[in-house]
Amino acid sequence: RVYDYNRRQADGSLRALHIDDAVACSRHFTEAEIEALQYVNGNKDSHCLADSKYFHVEQHTVRAAQTFTVTDDSFVSVLVLNGQGVLSFGGEDYALSAGVSYFLPAGMGDYTVKGEGGSVGIILSRT
């Protein structure tokens, strides 16, 4: 554990942290490695933050309605960075504002995100 939100064990003591172990097994990426992980897909409002065999993370700035798809291969985690908007699926609308997150199950299909009063910034993560 690197941080445990000051949770306590049954005896009242703080749970042990393993900061040195975490630092020992991590490494810093070079600027070249970071550049290789990030790419712009031709749309200045969308870009990849990370792509590996374990996960894929994209950042989007959505103004007008934009449709995304949750495939059978993976769930999608939606995290709202800023702005206001609506996520629509199955005839229902779900409010989007900074800090809100949604877990969309694998195989859910198409959903739409629309910014309101400007744009909404979102992070989409999948395995």
Side-chain angles (χ1 to χ4, degrees), residues 33-108:
E33 289 172 318
I34 293 170
E35 293 272 330
L37 285 172
Q38 295 179 336
Y39 65 86
V40 176
N41 66 7
N43 177 352
K44 66 180 181 175
D45 290 333
S46 285
H47 63 278
C48 176
L49 298 176
D51 188 31
S52 76
K53 64 181 182 180
Y54 302 108
F55 59 88
H56 181 83
V57 182
E58 300 172 349
Q59 182 174 344
H60 299 271
T61 300
V62 180
R63 291 171 179 75
Q66 186 172 347
T67 300
F68 299 93
T69 303
V70 184
T71 66
D72 292 335
D73 298 334
S74 174
F75 65 86
V76 170
S77 171
V78 178
L79 174 62
V80 183
L81 296 175
N82 54 51
Q84 302 285 321
V86 173
L87 184 149
S88 300
F89 172 76
E92 298 289 327
D93 290 338
Y94 304 90
L96 300 175
S97 61
V100 169
S101 65
Y102 289 101
F103 182 87
L104 309 179
M108 189 179 98

Side-chain angles (χ1 to χ4, degrees), residues 14 113 126:
L14 290 173
V113 174
R126 62 179 164 77

